[in-house]
Amino acid sequence: MERFEKLLKKRLEEGTLRSLSPCTFRNSGVIQQNGRKLIDFSSNDYLGFSNDKRLFKSVVKALETYGAGSGASRLMSGDLDIHHALEEKIACFKGKEKALIFNSGYQANIGIIPAICNRHDAILADRACHASQLDGIELSGAKLFRFRHNDVDHLKDLLAKERSKFEQTLIVTESVFSMDGDLAPLKSLVELKEQFNCWMMVDEAHATGVFGNHGEGLVFSEGLNERVEFVMGTFSKALGGFGAYLASSRLVIDYLVNFARSFIFSTALPPSIIAANIASLEICQETPGLGRSLLEKANNLRKTISGFGWKICGESQIIPVIIGGSKDSVMYSDKLKEKGLKVVPVRPPTVPEASARLRISLSLAHSETAISTLIGAFRELS
Ligand SMILES: *Cc1c(COP(=O)(O)O)cnc(C)c1O
């Protein structure tokens, strides 16, 4: 047990120790922690759907029809018609033939990648890729090459040197990067993947619900849905629910039902959450432009805060304010908390060394007053 103490102590000294802090209340855009109400700029509930009454109604109906739990994995008796209804809906939304639900984005990535790649293959992943993608790659046994963040030339060099040595090669990226808030150069990546005869897998966790006229994601809105083989994403962020999906070809989905271990050996998501996910997709289909108005708000906020001299990156609803040192990022986060604002510091190892940041994530649930409070706080702290 001594080793655990030692490692925790090291984290404490580096300013990277994490701990939990329960909310006693949460609604879209607000939480209550330690008896204090805070405006929440740290959730991924970008459209405020997690508290949308239309989702609640579907949840209650599904509970009454199917019960609280699904009782078993999909391949046993937990496979409900409502799972298939969601899969059809998300496949169509993403412009792909078929889709498969996974129990979370993490489980999707650690299930899909080892099922489609093996130790004879190579995987080229953007340096900023999410931990779940990296864990999936490790499980696959494939040889990993990391290309510099959004650096198409670096990827091209790696492919030129390495492609011919491997049976199959998979390019892995996010479409909207979770910690940098910037967008992958999808068109150029797709051109390279075709030139070098690779497959491509895109994680749309932060793009789904936000990019595209109805929130179809970046792959679809850039017209690349037929050229990217594996389009993965989650229901847990902008869509306000829980779970994840892979949208792909009929063949790939039929294959994964047989070979993706995180799909096979886990109980099916409960019907209530599936119903919530269906309801949020229906809202997206009925209301175009939700993401667009969020992105306009984010753009204005980014300009305003960088106008005070803060270093900001990204071009999405995720607005990282780069601080540098881990301890400084914690200090600023604490100061924001004193002003009634929850903006969590994101520190190494989640982000590269010396690039600790305050990650502001904007939601349509944030009122004008909430946004003004945030702007006022950054003006004062600058
Ligand atoms: C959040 C996230 C995941 C994990 O999704 P969960 O459903 O929360 O497990 C995977 N990939 C990316 C890029 C994410 O941001």
Side-chain angles (χ1 to χ4, degrees), residues 44 103-109 129-133 174 176-179 203-206 232-237 242-244 359:
N44 301 311
N103 287 4
S104 71
Y106 187 87
Q107 286 198 48
N109 282 329
C129 271
H130 193 261
S132 58
Q133 296 174 301
E174 296 179 34
V176 173
F177 282 88
S178 55
M179 294 303 146
D203 184 333
E204 299 234 73
H206 297 275
M232 173 269 167
T234 67
F235 298 107
S236 52
K237 285 162 183 167
F242 190 69
R359 179 182 179 277

Side-chain angles (χ1 to χ4, degrees), residues 284-298:
C284 287
Q285 278 162 336
E286 287 159 14
T287 0
L290 286 174
R292 196 175 314 118
S293 60
L294 173 64
L295 291 170
E296 275 166 23
K297 278 171 118 177

Side-chain angles (χ1 to χ4, degrees), residues 263-274:
F263 170 83
I264 300 167
F265 297 107
S266 196
T267 300
L269 282 181
S272 52
I273 200 66
I274 298 296

